[in-house]
Amino acid sequence: PPAEPLTELRQAGGVRTIVLNNPRRRNALSLPMLQSLRRDLLHDVKSRELRVIVIAAEGPVFCSGHDLKELSSEDDVKHHSQVFELCAEVMTLIQKLPVPVIAKVNGLATAAGCQLVASCDIAVASEKSQFATPGVNIGLFCSTPAVALGRSLPRKVALEMLFTGEPLSAQEALMHGLVSKVVPEDKLEEETMKISQKICESSKSILALGKATFYRQITQDLDTAYKMTTKVMVDNLTLRDGQEGIEAFVQKRKPVWSH
């Protein structure tokens, strides 16, 4: 029989759900899995109908990180570089997409799987979820996951995870800012869709501008960030949906977005 697709894409009402679909391999980010995820993220991404992307997973493990079989000495350095370079490309792509990306986590997210959660714009987790970077325990320090982790968590929390490999509980991940919300497992779908549908009520073009600006300003010093965002606010007012939103507010009606 034909192999199951490594990721499944479904879309309805402006919400695209991409499901990591290799539970037998703990949804490991193998090279084919990364290629499939990238393809689904980029599919028709400029469509007016697409407003938000949700990344979910089949099975008890959200994502276990890289497939260690691909990183054995039997494969050459060129192959290893290809794996890590594509992973970095996918992680940075998430933040470059013109729509918000939500991680819907129900289970364990480790190493590059934890990196995937940290790279998303929003993360909603079930109470049973856990997050870890245990590479140090097998002699492969989680240096690339540390990039996303170090930008999501306080430094000392990130370093404790990286140095010990010990997991954070869902509540600890919430407390330190790795996830946005923690809910009971039976409420995970409902809460994720609630956030997604709220996002769908806004203008796609305004959200795209806002998301790009947020990630540009976050790496800048305070003065530079304010100078850049001041210009963006002015530019925002020139957009059709920027004017429509203000007019609708003044006229006490719902805006009609052009996206």
Side-chain angles (χ1 to χ4, degrees), residues 22-173:
N22 193 11
R24 290 177 62 188
R25 298 289 302 154
R26 296 160 63 90
N27 294 315
L29 294 179
S30 62
L31 196 59
M33 174 71 91
L34 286 165
Q35 290 166 338
S36 187
L37 178 56
R38 177 179 61 181
R39 183 171 59 249
D40 286 351
L41 286 168
L42 288 172
H43 175 73
D44 205 16
V45 75
K46 294 183 179 178
S47 162
R48 285 177 55 179
E49 282 67 47
L50 178 63
R51 305 292 173 73
V52 62
I53 294 173
V54 174
I55 300 177
E58 286 290 342
V61 176
F62 175 77
C63 180
S64 61
H66 291 292
D67 187 338
L68 295 179
K69 287 186 176 180
E70 284 189 335
L71 305 181
S72 69
S73 57
E74 295 174 9
D75 290 308
D76 59 17
V77 171
K78 183 178 178 182
H79 179 78
H80 296 164
S81 296
Q82 189 180 7
V83 170
F84 289 118
E85 286 168 5
L86 179 57
C87 185
E89 180 188 335
V90 170
M91 300 299 168
T92 54
L93 170 64
I94 287 170
Q95 295 182 358
K96 292 175 182 176
L97 292 172
V99 295
V101 180
I102 302 173
K104 176 186 161 190
V105 186
N106 188 29
L108 188 62
T110 62
C114 189
Q115 179 185 3
L116 179 59
V117 176
S119 298
C120 289
D121 303 311
I122 297 170
V124 185
S126 69
E127 293 171 332
K128 74 176 187 180
S129 299
Q130 289 187 304
F131 306 85
T133 48
V136 67
N137 298 328
I138 59 164
L140 183 64
F141 196 87
C142 287
S143 293
T144 45
V147 175
L149 233 62
R151 285 160 169 76
S152 296
L153 292 167
R155 182 178 300 181
K156 289 178 174 60
V157 177
L159 286 171
E160 183 179 347
M161 289 182 69
L162 292 160
F163 289 159
T164 68
E166 288 296 302
L168 289 183
S169 68
Q171 288 296 338
E172 288 171 325

Side-chain angles (χ1 to χ4, degrees), residues 163-183:
F163 289 159
T164 68
E166 288 296 302
L168 289 183
S169 68
Q171 288 296 338
E172 288 171 325
L174 176 64
M175 178 174 67
H176 295 304
L178 181 58
V179 301
S180 320
K181 288 194 174 180
V182 173
V183 296

